[in-house]
Amino acid sequence: MGGRPSQDIPVILDLIAKNIINIDMIITNIYSRLEDANEALEELHHGKILGRAVIKLP
C-alpha cells in the first residue's frame, strides 16, 4: 500500500511535535537558499548527504 499524504503527514507532524520522532536525527544538511539546491544535489550524488536534506525558504 502506498503513502496517503493527506492522512500520513498530519500523523507524522504530530509525532514530531510530541518528540516521538526526532527530526534532527533524520536531517543531515539544511540549506538556507533555493540557490543551494544544486549544491545539495551534488552532495547527494557524492554520498555526502546520509539522511535527508532540507532547503529552508523564507
Side-chain angles (χ1 to χ4, degrees), residues 11-56:
V11 172
I12 292 169
L13 292 175
D14 186 52
L15 294 173
I16 291 169
K18 293 178 180 175
N19 290 321
I20 295 172
I21 295 176
N22 182 351
I23 196 161
D24 294 327
M25 298 295 294
I26 299 171
I27 298 172
T28 302
N29 294 36
I30 297 176
Y31 301 90
S32 58
R33 303 174 311 143
L34 185 57
E35 291 83 8
D36 296 332
N38 287 335
E39 177 186 350
L41 290 171
E42 190 70 24
E43 290 183 0
L44 179 64
H45 178 73
H46 290 290
K48 294 180 181 178
I49 296 176
L50 303 177
R52 303 289 184 267
V54 174
I55 299 174
K56 286 177 64 175

